[in-house]
């Protein structure tokens, strides 16, 4: 007697192979973009900031007014002097009178370099293109300082050469060094303004704060002198305010040189820069 066999299990039908989608690339070498991919560095940020600072109208206006004040007032002052007026003072002393007002232009430009981008919202685009915020801020400071220093050296130097051409008897006081020290002082004031603008992120507020830094120490000592206990403090404030510091650099004060005043400004500017870098990543844009 034969054993019954179990019914055969029906195998499921295998699906027919589907053709490869049209978007799938055929096997072969990988795609290579024709656009070269390079690692970004500080040079790219410098090129970007140079393009910005030379293409906006605020740069041309502020630097134009700066040159007009320093060179114009310097020439007018030089035409009213004679050889006896340069006994013990350099030929660049007429530029000092223009720098008293001209430094406000560099302060304004320093604030606008950074605060205007926060005001318009363009800083978001800047940080999207270059996420390394510290690199962007460093590039802004370097480009601004280079521009401000070059323009200041040119303006003070032109005044010094003009005064030298007016007087046949050369002065015994060295005056070439005052060109570079005076330009360094006002340029550092502009960098200080840029750092303040980065921290405050508001053009009007930062400009007002910097005007207070420049003007209040020149006015306040007159009221502090009333009190004998405050007199030593008033004398120090009077010695190191922006106007008297420039006077010391141009040997127009009682103690010429200005090295100590320049050192104080370097320290204050360095502290402000450190604060700007510290706050840069701690706040949203």
């Amino acid at each position: 007697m034969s054993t019954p066999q179990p019914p055969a299990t029906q195998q499921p039908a295998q699906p027919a192979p589907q053709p490869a989608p049209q978007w799938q690339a055929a096997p072969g070498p990988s795609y290579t973009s024709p656009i070269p991919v390079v690692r970004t560095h500080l040079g790219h940020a410098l090129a970007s900031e140079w393009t910005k600072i030379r293409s906006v109208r605020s740069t041309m206006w502020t630097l134009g007014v700066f040159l007009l004040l320093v060179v114009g007032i310097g020439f007018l002052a030089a035409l009213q002097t004679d050889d006896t007026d340069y006994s013990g003072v350099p030929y660049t002393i007429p530029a000092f009178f223009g720098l008293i007002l001209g430094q406000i232009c560099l302060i304004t430009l320093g604030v606008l370099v950074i605060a205007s981008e926060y005001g318009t919202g363009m800083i978001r685009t800047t940080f999207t293109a270059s996420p390394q915020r510290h690199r962007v801020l460093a590039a802004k400071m370097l480009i601004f300082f280079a521009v401000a220093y070059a323009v200041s050296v040119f303006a003070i130097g032109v005044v010094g050469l003009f005064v030298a051409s007016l007087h046949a008897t050369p002065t015994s006081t060295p005056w070439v060094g005052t060109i570079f020290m005076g330009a360094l002082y006002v340029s550092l004031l502009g960098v200080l303004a840029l750092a303040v603008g980065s921290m405050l992120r508001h053009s009007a507020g930062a400009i007002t704060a910097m005007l207070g830094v420049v003007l209040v120490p020149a006015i306040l000592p007159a009221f502090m002198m009333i009190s004998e206990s405050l007199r030593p403090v008033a004398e120090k404030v009077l010695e190191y305010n922006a106007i008297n510091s420039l006077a010391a650099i141009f040997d127009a004060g009682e103690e010429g040189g200005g090295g100590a005043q320049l050192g104080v400004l370097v320290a204050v500017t360095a502290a402000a820069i450190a604060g700007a870098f510290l706050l840069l990543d701690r706040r949203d844009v």
Side-chain angles (χ1 to χ4, degrees):
M1 182 176 179
S2 62
T3 305
Q5 300 293 329
T9 304
Q10 186 177 2
Q11 298 294 329
Q14 297 294 330
Q18 298 294 326
Q22 296 180 358
W23 52 264
Q24 184 173 354
S30 61
Y31 173 76
T32 303
S33 173
I35 303 175
V37 179
V38 296
R39 189 179 184 86
T40 58
H41 50 75
L42 180 60
H44 296 116
L46 291 173
S48 174
E49 295 305 324
W50 167 242
T51 301
K52 290 180 187 178
I53 200 170
R54 66 184 174 88
S55 59
V56 295
R57 286 177 292 180
S58 59
T59 302
M60 300 298 106
W61 277 106
T62 51
L63 293 182
V65 174
F66 174 80
L67 289 172
L68 181 63
L69 289 173
V70 177
V71 177
I73 295 177
F75 279 15
L76 291 175
L79 292 174
Q80 306 301 318
T81 59
D82 52 32
D83 290 344
T84 58
D85 294 320
Y86 295 96
S87 176
V89 295
Y91 278 153
T92 51
I93 191 63
F96 160 72
F97 302 108
L99 284 175
I100 294 176
L101 296 176
Q103 62 185 338
I104 305 299
C105 298
L106 296 185
I107 288 173
T108 303
L109 180 59
V111 170
L112 293 178
V113 164
I114 181 70
S116 61
E117 288 198 50
Y118 279 104
T120 60
M122 283 300 296
I123 196 67
R124 298 186 182 93
T125 304
T126 299
F127 286 154
T128 300
S130 180
Q132 298 83 5
R133 297 185 180 185
H134 293 83
R135 182 186 298 171
V136 172
L137 183 57
K140 286 182 180 294
M141 290 182 176
L142 290 173
I143 290 296
F144 170 78
F145 178 80
V147 171
Y149 187 72
V151 173
S152 302
V153 167
F154 172 79
I156 301 171
V158 166
V159 174
L161 292 173
F162 178 74
V163 175
S165 67
L166 293 178
H167 302 282
T169 304
T171 179
S172 59
T173 304
W175 58 278
V176 176
T178 61
I179 297 176
F180 301 102
M181 287 190 66
L184 180 60
Y185 191 89
V186 294
S187 299
L188 284 175
L189 272 179
V191 175
L192 174 61
L194 197 157
V196 172
S198 177
M199 289 187 286
L200 298 184
R201 300 184 174 188
H202 191 274
S203 299
I207 293 174
T208 303
M210 285 304 302
L211 289 178
V213 169
V214 172
L215 299 178
V216 171
I219 301 172
L220 190 60
F223 301 95
M224 297 173 65
M225 289 289 186
I226 300 175
S227 173
E228 287 295 330
S229 60
L230 294 177
R231 185 176 293 272
V233 178
E235 291 175 351
K236 284 297 180 182
V237 173
L238 195 62
E239 181 181 358
Y240 287 96
N241 68 57
I243 297 176
N244 285 344
S245 296
L246 277 174
I249 290 173
F250 285 90
D251 292 331
E254 296 179 358
E255 298 180 1
Q261 288 82 351
L262 189 59
V264 169
L265 180 59
V266 169
V268 173
T269 304
I273 291 174
F277 277 101
L278 184 64
L279 293 176
L280 192 61
D281 283 330
R282 295 193 174 187
R283 297 183 295 182
D284 198 1
V285 296

